[in-house]
Amino acid sequence: NAGVTQTPKFQVLKTGQSMTLQCAQDMNHEYMSWYRQDPGMGLRLIHYSVGAGITDQGEVPNGYNVSRSTTEDFPLRLLSAAPSQTSVYFCASRGTGTNQPQHFGDGTRLSIL
Amino acid sequence: AQSVTQLGSHVSVSEGALVLLRCNYSSSVPPYLFWYVQYPNQGLQLLLKYTTGATLVKGINGFEAEFKKSETSFHLTKPSAHMSDAAEYFCAVSDGPGNQFYFGTGTSLTVIP
């Protein structure tokens, strides 16, 4: 059981470049989320989705886009990378119901030069 | 909105000593509470969760947490620390609608031999 799979694991970009972080889950979960983790700030929610075709903004959405065309996939796009977006990005999914825990991928470590 | 406060960004204990990691939350509705552990260069793994019922919750690796509504707390404990417990620990609370999980800023646990 793969769970939540994120690719790539590491990436270095130059300022202004764009890229897509991939996230896929095989648990048929409706809810998926993207977080960024920065030292001393815990995890902050970027965007989330409650099902295919439905997305919404989280706490720190600026500079990021998402789409959810299938239940399995939830890619995160950086439109024009900035050094402030250097972070570790985590994708998570969970089943329906508010008492369901989040299942996390292993993260993508992104550096913007 | 929900919020989570983890007191102490760094905690050090001796091997074999009691581990106590503090978490307080604010919630206008009955919360669902979670503790996650993150090992270096890995994603977050669920340690335990409280939804309803028994207020003392047992998790993996010998950890447990007690939900105290009157104190709005959900502190994590382990009677005897092991070297393998060294990691970052996150408390999280879930609210009702959508996929909103609110994370604390984390506590880094160091275990001294």
Side-chain angles (χ1 to χ4, degrees):
Chain A
N1 187 356
V4 179
T5 303
Q6 291 184 239
T7 57
K9 293 189 184 302
F10 303 92
Q11 184 71 50
V12 178
L13 293 178
K14 294 181 179 179
T15 297
Q17 288 185 312
S18 63
M19 80 160 293
T20 299
L21 308 186
Q22 302 292 344
C23 175
Q25 53 93 6
D26 62 359
M27 296 171 283
N28 201 33
H29 286 166
E30 290 296 318
Y31 296 157
M32 296 187 74
S33 303
W34 276 102
Y35 295 87
R36 59 178 290 173
Q37 182 179 25
D38 301 292
M41 304 189 74
L43 278 79
R44 293 182 291 169
L45 183 65
I46 304 171
H47 285 284
Y48 65 98
S49 170
V50 298
I54 306 170
T55 64
D56 206 346
Q57 296 181 350
E59 181 184 358
V60 289
N62 292 340
Y64 307 95
N65 273 358
V66 292
S67 60
R68 184 94 180 272
S69 57
T70 67
T71 298
E72 294 78 19
D73 300 301
F74 190 44
L76 177 73
R77 282 182 287 277
L78 279 70
L79 308 174
S80 178
S84 62
Q85 294 178 304
T86 293
S87 187
V88 182
Y89 292 85
F90 288 100
C91 180
S93 73
R94 70 181 177 96
T96 55
T98 55
N99 60 344
Q100 296 301 308
Q102 299 264 24
H103 297 262
F104 285 85
D106 287 338
T108 294
R109 285 149 185 83
L110 182 63
S111 293
I112 315 296
L113 304 179
Chain B
Q2 313 273 10
S3 69
V4 176
T5 302
Q6 291 184 241
L7 296 177
S9 58
H10 298 276
V11 171
S12 294
V13 300
S14 297
E15 189 174 18
L18 172 71
V19 176
L20 171 60
L21 304 182
R22 300 178 186 275
C23 174
N24 289 88
Y25 66 91
S26 66
S27 173
S28 58
V29 297
Y32 299 104
L33 297 160
F34 306 82
W35 274 100
Y36 286 85
V37 61
Q38 183 183 31
Y39 298 104
N41 298 316
Q42 295 186 24
L44 279 70
Q45 303 174 28
L46 181 69
L47 268 180
L48 49 81
K49 67 177 182 179
Y50 168 78
T51 55
T52 59
T55 57
L56 182 62
V57 180
K58 295 186 183 300
I60 62 172
N61 302 337
F63 284 93
E64 60 184 34
E66 185 172 10
F67 170 57
K68 292 187 176 180
K69 184 177 179 180
S70 62
E71 299 178 6
T72 61
S73 69
F74 191 56
H75 301 331
L76 181 71
T77 61
K78 182 175 181 178
S80 177
H82 191 273
M83 296 298 295
S84 61
D85 294 328
E88 187 93 14
Y89 291 81
F90 291 93
C91 182
V93 61
S94 174
D95 64 4
N99 196 26
Q100 296 287 357
F101 261 59
Y102 298 90
F103 286 87
T105 53
T107 298
S108 177
L109 176 66
T110 299
V111 181
I112 303 167

